[in-house]
């Protein structure tokens, strides 16, 4: 959650009140799944393989690919 707050300077189009709203929501509601949980959900859904393709430099987002082999 602190990493999210640290990106504030990178969002100049968002005013302080709007950013505070994002931050408040994030702290109250966002509990991200681990990479292992995402992979497990893909396998549980019937995919044969789950690969993590990318992690954003600030580590706030990741991209996964789920495939049938």
């Amino acid at each position: 959650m602190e990493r999210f707050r640290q990106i504030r300077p990178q969002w100049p189009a968002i005013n302080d009140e709007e950013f505070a709203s994002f931050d408040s929501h994030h702290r109250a509601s966002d509990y991200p799944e681990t990479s292992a949980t995402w992979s497990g959900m893909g396998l549980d859904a019937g995919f044969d393989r789950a690969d993590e393709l990318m992690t954003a430099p600030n580590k706030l987002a990741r991209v996964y690919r789920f495939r049938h082999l």
Side-chain angles (χ1 to χ4, degrees), residues 1-4 25-38 41 59-62 64:
M1 292 184 188
E2 288 306 314
R3 287 192 314 255
F4 178 77
H25 167 77
H26 181 246
R27 290 176 183 281
S29 305
D30 288 350
Y31 298 97
E33 286 80 6
T34 64
S35 293
T37 298
W38 277 110
M41 286 191 290
K59 299 183 181 172
L60 290 177
R62 297 173 191 262
Y64 296 88

Side-chain angles (χ1 to χ4, degrees), residues 1-66:
M1 292 184 188
E2 288 306 314
R3 287 192 314 255
F4 178 77
R5 183 175 278 169
Q6 291 172 7
I7 67 169
R8 172 66 183 111
Q10 298 172 24
W11 291 21
I14 305 295
N15 69 39
D16 289 340
E17 184 178 329
E18 291 167 328
F19 192 86
S21 180
F22 290 146
D23 189 47
S24 174
H25 167 77
H26 181 246
R27 290 176 183 281
S29 305
D30 288 350
Y31 298 97
E33 286 80 6
T34 64
S35 293
T37 298
W38 277 110
S39 295
M41 286 191 290
L43 298 173
D44 289 347
F47 291 98
D48 300 308
R49 185 167 178 168
D51 300 305
E52 185 177 314
L53 300 180
M54 192 255 331
T55 301
N58 60 14
K59 299 183 181 172
L60 290 177
R62 297 173 191 262
V63 175
Y64 296 88
R65 175 179 55 199
F66 300 98

